[in-house]
Amino acid sequence: MFNGHINNVAALKQQYGLNKTANESSIVIEAYRTLRDRGPYPADQVVRDIQGKYTFIVYDSSSKTTFIAVDADGSVPFFWGTDSEGHLVASDDPEIVKTGCGKSFAPFPKGCFFTTSGGLKSYEHPLHQLKAVPRVDSSGDVCGANFKVDEGSRKESSGMPRVGSAANWSSNF
């Protein structure tokens, strides 16, 4: 599912080697294939390369994996939650998610992506953890969570460590 528009369609078609007739959905599918098959691209970089106002879900039936992303502004409404059996429910219609999930639904966090294998991450701030903040409805009941980038936390870089990066080399001169 793709909802919205991509501003840099031509550049992404060229980057992924797609023909001129490829549409935005084809670009998103090819971005997913790049992550799945051609690694070592970091998922946050692949999503960050897509410029525009969008929400998308890619479900890979062969591997039973899900890849979801929302643009940095959260311009396209999108909601998610879990049902009573622990299954993921996602839609651009809040009533569908609310019906399926009861009070465990929330807006999908802007500037983030979700993968079945890696969970929820920010592509805007890939080295920072996401923090769940309880979401309270108008009656004062807790109903799901909103996720915010925790500026005070940093994840360990999963990339190749730089030699001597832990030391302050400038103090030696």
Side-chain angles (χ1 to χ4, degrees), residues 11 58 108-109:
V58 176
F108 194 90

Side-chain angles (χ1 to χ4, degrees), residues 103 105-107 131-137 140-148:
K103 293 192 174 221
F105 84 101
K131 180 179 180 181
V133 178
R135 191 168 155 258
V136 180
D137 66 9
D141 295 330
V142 173
C143 56
N146 289 326
F147 290 86
K148 308 264 187 226

Side-chain angles (χ1 to χ4, degrees), residues 127-131 148-155:
L127 295 179
H128 291 282
Q129 306 254 351
L130 289 172
K131 180 179 180 181
K148 308 264 187 226
V149 173
D150 185 0
E151 297 291 336
S153 70
R154 284 185 64 89
K155 296 178 188 175

Side-chain angles (χ1 to χ4, degrees), residues 19-93:
N19 64 33
K20 292 181 181 182
T21 61
N23 61 19
E24 292 162 322
S25 296
S26 300
I27 291 169
V28 168
I29 290 169
E30 194 59 33
Y32 168 75
R33 285 182 182 152
T34 297
L35 290 173
R36 183 191 69 190
D37 302 337
R38 300 183 205 151
Y41 301 110
D44 58 89
Q45 184 61 48
V46 170
V47 178
R48 196 177 316 120
D49 287 345
I50 302 171
Q51 298 168 6
K53 310 283 185 200
Y54 61 84
T55 294
F56 66 78
I57 301 173
V58 176
Y59 178 71
D60 186 339
S61 61
S62 63
S63 63
K64 307 278 190 267
T65 57
T66 305
F67 181 45
I68 303 171
V70 171
D71 69 74
D73 298 330
S75 304
V76 179
F78 192 67
F79 303 87
W80 69 331
T82 53
D83 66 11
S84 60
E85 297 176 6
H87 298 111
L88 179 66
V89 178
S91 176
D92 59 348
D93 184 346

Side-chain angles (χ1 to χ4, degrees), residues 1 3 5-6 31-32 42-43 49 51-52 67 71 83 95 97 112 117 124 143 154 157 166-167 172:
M1 178 206 82
N3 194 357
H5 69 279
I6 296 175
Y32 168 75
D49 287 345
Q51 298 168 6
F67 181 45
D71 69 74
D83 66 11
E95 291 306 313
V97 181
C112 291
S117 60
E124 294 230 291
C143 56
R154 284 185 64 89
S157 175
N172 296 330

